[in-house]
Amino acid sequence: MAAKPTPATVPEYSENSIRVLKGLEPVKQRPGMYTRTDNPLHILQEVLDNAADEALAGHGKKIKVTLHADGSVSIDDDGRGIPFGLHPEENAPVIELVFTRLHAGGKFDKGKGGAYSFSGGLHGVGVSVTNALSQRMEVTSHREGQVARLVFAGGDVVEPLSLRPQAEGDRRQGTSVRAWPDASYFESSALPMGELTHLLRSKAVLMPGVSVTLINEKTRDTQTWQYKGGLRDYLMQTLVTDPVIPLFEGEGFADSQNDSFAEGEGAAWCVAFTEEGAPVRESYVNLIPTSAGGTHESGLRDGLFQAVKSFIELHSLLPKGVKLMPEDVFARASYVLSAKVLDPQFQGQIKERLNSRDAVRLVSGFVRPALELWLNQHVEYGKKLAELAIKAAQTRQKAGQKVEKRKGSGVAVLPGKLTDCESRDTAYNEVFLVEGDSAGGSAKMGRDKENQAVLPLRGKVLNTWEVERDRLFANNEIHDISVAIGVDPHGPHDAPDLSGLRYGKVCILSDADVDGSHIQVLLLTLFFRHFPKLIEAGHVYVARPPLFRVDVPARGKKPASKLYALDEGELAAILDKCAKEGVARDKCQISRFKGLGEMNAEQLWETTLNPDTRRLMPVQLGDLDFAATEGLITQLMGKGEAAARRALMELHGDSVELDI
């Protein structure tokens, strides 16, 4: 028998084991949480974004980036200069706080006392990360006739703030930051020049009239970008092939009378439609490049699609049997999109994707009427564009029909309670397995009938962990699920025929409460045990409906809004954010959904079914392999496993919150 480990070999876990990281320590310990660590470009972009925010606010016309021979980089602007007086609460110079404290900045209070209405900076984390990951950093601020200078090393102040009056005749205003990135934090210390020039050029595009200059001391090259024609000039220079019709450009911003959006929110865009070649697609939010897209791009797609669809319907151009999808219009679109959002929500600190739900309506609401008007003023161009979209739809439908023929004639009769979708494009189609008939009713009314099907399930599904495969179909619910998705039950080592699969996404949709979780577990058990290849191929998803709705009254420039939270944690975050914006907790009306059946069709669409705003989680094997996962589920779902379940409960019982 193996000897028990002596206490000396077991790591001690006590009060002394807990470390609280202070100041900029968290950034140095885990730089990947705050920035991209493949090269230092992103930490320099943080400084550049601050200079761009000054220009965006109308306080600067020039930005200069210098690559010095010693590997350092300087960024100079002619904005207002960072304030260097003492902070009223922190008793330290403001300029020092900006570079040494996480979550200190001038971009939190939008529309009431903050320094910026629109900005790319959100978290007050940016330049403090640049400072933490630089060996040395020199900051100079020219403001109100004085010059302030500060020097940091590894995030710490090494030369405290010094002030001197500006030289006579020197009327300069603005900020100059010179940083020496610390190579030990990055995979490569070399800056990707292609990415850097693209970034600088795009800043110039998005701010017509502002000049952006890059000086390279090693090669003695100087480049300056200034675009008087903005997005149109830029897109025409970037396109590889000629567009089929002239460029469609426009902009729309909310005014003070707008009920839904704050004054100044909106977008500018330029779109080109080409027949071949890879499309050029660039989007920005408050001048921040969103390389992974997001909800503003979804809004552009929706606006273009709705406008083209209504033009086609108005002129009766759609051939019989052809169904138009958003992708048919969007696939051949190249565009530059620049959105202005008052308080944008990004995915992660490096802001590559916009998550703000309202941005879909914001952008679509301006793009759709503008394109409808333009197409009806230029009917010939409209017909050319319609032809391009219809051709794409026909090609897509033909590809879908090829799969249809392979299914043979012995197709099982689809279950009567399945409300099917119209499209036959498997990759695009989704089926929602919905708990209960009342929720099924809301889902049927709220879904997009083009590609979303609904199969309501009555009551709890059978626990199928120990059911023999050939006895499965004795249960009506499971029979209906199998026939609806078009795949027969199979084992982990079988090679099932997936060509009959009728939906690319099989989504489990149950209430956000304990019963809903139980139904979710029973369905996941069914798929893992009897349809494992569907999980392996990435076809199974869990839809996450919200548990709470928060009605927030109007505040400052922001109109009244409805926000949704998945759980208590998100609810707390929403209420904290409202408190920061000056809305008291008791002014926010919180309602809890008892179940999906309580939501009306519009709410269910907006929160759970709409691809642009929903949370849909793919089901995958986690850290454990198939066999280990199988062992764990046996403990949870097996009939003779009560003792193992009890042991699990004793082990993890205190980490479970009871929801009564």
Side-chain angles (χ1 to χ4, degrees):
M1 214 171 100
K4 279 188 179 174
T6 60
T9 62
V10 178
E12 189 195 355
Y13 180 49
S14 67
E15 287 77 4
N16 298 330
S17 314
I18 304 299
R19 250 190 90 192
V20 178
L21 298 177
K22 292 202 171 66
L24 296 177
E25 268 188 276
V27 184
K28 296 177 181 181
Q29 288 268 353
R30 299 281 183 273
M33 261 182 75
Y34 297 88
T35 187
R36 292 214 320 258
T37 52
D38 41 356
N39 60 63
L41 178 64
H42 189 260
I43 64 165
L44 298 169
Q45 188 185 325
E46 294 286 4
V47 185
L48 179 66
D49 288 345
N50 285 359
D53 284 338
E54 276 293 282
L56 183 64
H59 300 288
K61 284 285 175 204
K62 289 180 185 160
I63 296 173
K64 184 174 78 175
V65 178
T66 310
L67 308 179
H68 298 285
D70 62 358
S72 64
V73 180
S74 291
I75 294 166
D76 300 80
D77 68 56
D78 59 347
R80 291 170 287 188
I82 301 172
F84 38 74
L86 286 183
H87 189 276
E89 291 162 18
E90 300 290 335
N91 208 17
V94 168
I95 191 168
E96 184 182 316
L97 294 175
V98 167
F99 287 92
T100 56
R101 293 277 181 93
L102 294 174
H103 310 294
K107 298 165 191 175
F108 292 115
D109 305 316
K110 311 285 186 188
K112 55 164 198 359
Y116 302 85
S117 284
F118 293 92
S119 66
L122 293 178
H123 310 122
V125 165
V127 286
S128 42
V129 171
T130 314
N131 191 12
L133 305 181
S134 295
Q135 288 175 335
R136 180 181 172 86
M137 191 159 170
E138 297 172 359
V139 182
T140 311
S141 174
H142 298 255
R143 183 182 168 94
E144 295 160 359
Q146 288 190 294
V147 182
R149 187 171 184 270
L150 254 175
V151 182
F152 305 91
D156 302 318
V157 179
V158 288
E159 286 180 33
L161 182 69
S162 63
L163 289 177
R164 62 174 172 82
Q166 277 183 329
E168 211 170 307
D170 183 5
R171 293 274 183 86
R172 202 191 144 184
Q173 257 197 296
T175 307
S176 174
V177 176
R178 183 170 179 177
W180 285 257
D182 188 335
S184 64
Y185 291 109
F186 303 98
E187 290 161 33
S188 159
S189 58
L191 285 173
M193 291 307 293
E195 266 187 75
L196 176 63
T197 51
H198 179 257
L199 182 68
L200 297 178
R201 185 173 147 213
S202 67
K203 293 285 185 209
V205 173
L206 300 170
M207 299 184 289
V210 174
S211 75
V212 181
T213 303
L214 174 64
I215 299 167
N216 189 334
E217 283 186 353
K218 278 185 190 166
T219 59
R220 298 192 178 170
D221 282 348
T222 299
Q223 281 174 285
T224 298
W225 296 273
Q226 188 173 19
Y227 290 87
K228 297 280 193 291
L231 307 184
R232 167 181 280 271
D233 280 8
Y234 180 59
L235 189 57
M236 281 309 286
Q237 287 179 27
T238 319
L239 279 178
V240 188
T241 52
D242 290 335
V244 180
I245 59 171
L247 270 57
F248 162 59
E249 64 177 328
E251 61 179 38
F253 297 98
D255 56 20
S256 55
Q257 268 71 54
N258 194 298
D259 293 339
S260 304
F261 297 103
E263 188 178 351
E265 286 193 298
W269 62 83
C270 189
V271 184
F273 292 95
T274 55
E275 274 192 285
E276 58 225 10
V280 175
R281 293 180 172 180
E282 293 190 23
S283 63
Y284 303 82
V285 174
N286 302 351
L287 308 196
I288 299 280
T290 41
S291 54
T295 46
H296 54 324
E297 286 194 9
S298 299
L300 178 68
R301 182 181 68 185
D302 184 63
L304 294 177
F305 171 63
Q306 297 296 349
V308 172
K309 188 179 169 197
S310 76
F311 176 83
I312 287 174
E313 283 168 2
L314 182 69
H315 295 272
S316 308
L317 300 174
L318 198 65
K320 206 173 174 203
V322 175
K323 283 247 163 59
L324 210 60
M325 298 274 198
E327 214 36 56
D328 302 329
V329 177
F330 204 57
R332 299 305 329 144
S334 291
Y335 57 82
V336 184
L337 170 68
S338 174
K340 269 190 177 183
V341 181
L342 186 64
D343 199 2
Q345 305 297 313
F346 289 103
Q347 191 171 302
Q349 161 60 17
I350 56 174
K351 305 178 192 138
E352 287 183 325
R353 181 179 173 81
L354 181 72
N355 275 1
S356 307
R357 280 182 169 167
D358 289 343
V360 181
R361 274 190 311 121
L362 173 71
V363 178
S364 177
F366 287 119
V367 171
R368 180 183 178 173
L371 182 56
E372 277 182 7
L373 182 65
W374 190 82
L375 292 174
N376 287 308
Q377 285 172 339
H378 307 88
V379 175
E380 281 314 302
Y381 296 146
K383 286 184 174 170
K384 269 192 174 174
L385 179 54
E387 203 180 296
L388 198 67
I390 289 164
K391 205 160 100 186
Q394 287 168 326
T395 310
R396 176 180 51 73
Q397 280 178 286
K398 270 184 195 156
Q401 280 158 359
K402 281 176 198 160
V403 177
E404 203 72 10
K405 282 175 189 157
R406 286 209 305 269
K407 292 180 183 174
S409 56
V411 179
V413 178
L414 290 174
K417 58 188 179 176
L418 171 73
T419 306
D420 209 359
C421 54
E422 293 173 1
S423 161
R424 289 286 158 266
D425 185 348
T426 309
Y428 186 63
N429 289 353
E430 310 174 339
V431 63
F432 287 87
L433 308 179
V434 184
E435 164 195 349
D437 286 339
S438 60
S442 290
K444 282 174 198 172
M445 285 159 62
R447 73 195 173 114
D448 178 351
K449 65 179 190 297
E450 183 56 52
N451 73 311
Q452 292 180 330
V454 174
L455 180 64
L457 305 171
R458 287 196 183 88
K460 298 259 170 102
V461 184
L462 179 73
N463 177 1
T464 54
W465 192 246
E466 289 171 2
V467 175
E468 292 296 326
R469 202 149 291 137
D470 52 6
R471 295 286 308 136
L472 274 180
F473 282 169
N475 180 282
N476 278 340
E477 301 290 312
I478 292 162
H479 173 269
D480 288 354
I481 290 171
S482 177
V483 172
I485 59 181
V487 175
D488 288 335
H490 53 269
H493 306 299
D494 300 345
D497 178 13
L498 294 187
S499 67
L501 182 67
R502 302 181 65 250
Y503 306 98
K505 288 189 172 81
V506 178
C507 312
I508 298 168
L509 174 54
S510 59
D511 291 348
D513 61 6
V514 172
D515 276 345
S517 300
H518 189 200
I519 288 167
Q520 194 177 300
V521 167
L522 290 165
L523 283 168
L524 287 173
T525 302
L526 169 69
F527 285 119
F528 181 74
R529 184 55 131 191
H530 298 291
F531 298 89
K533 296 296 177 192
L534 283 183
I535 292 179
E536 202 177 291
H539 292 300
V540 182
Y541 292 79
V542 172
R544 299 209 47 199
L547 193 55
F548 300 99
R549 185 179 103 188
V550 186
D551 291 278
V552 185
R555 60 248 184 249
K557 284 187 179 180
K558 299 192 84 172
S561 58
K562 288 184 180 65
L563 303 172
Y564 296 93
L566 286 186
D567 51 31
E568 302 270 0
E570 281 194 10
L571 177 65
I574 288 173
L575 294 174
D576 286 350
K577 191 159 177 290
C578 290
K580 275 186 190 155
E581 290 174 356
V583 180
R585 219 179 182 85
D586 53 357
K587 294 265 170 60
C588 296
Q589 200 180 338
I590 302 165
S591 39
R592 177 179 166 132
F593 294 111
K594 288 198 180 71
L596 295 168
E598 271 192 12
M599 285 190 200
N600 62 35
E602 194 184 337
Q603 285 173 333
L604 194 59
W605 165 253
E606 189 185 336
T607 60
T608 318
L609 300 176
N610 182 350
D612 296 326
T613 53
R614 69 189 178 190
R615 316 273 185 98
L616 201 59
M617 296 168 62
V619 175
Q620 298 157 329
L621 287 182
D623 300 336
L624 306 174
D625 60 11
F626 190 90
T629 306
E630 195 172 29
L632 194 57
I633 298 183
T634 301
Q635 283 185 356
L636 294 168
M637 307 302 289
K639 281 198 176 73
E641 297 287 336
R645 270 196 290 280
R646 182 176 174 172
L648 270 175
M649 285 177 193
E650 284 172 354
L651 194 61
H652 299 295
D654 59 347
S655 63
V656 175
E657 286 184 24
L658 205 57
D659 186 1
I660 300 171

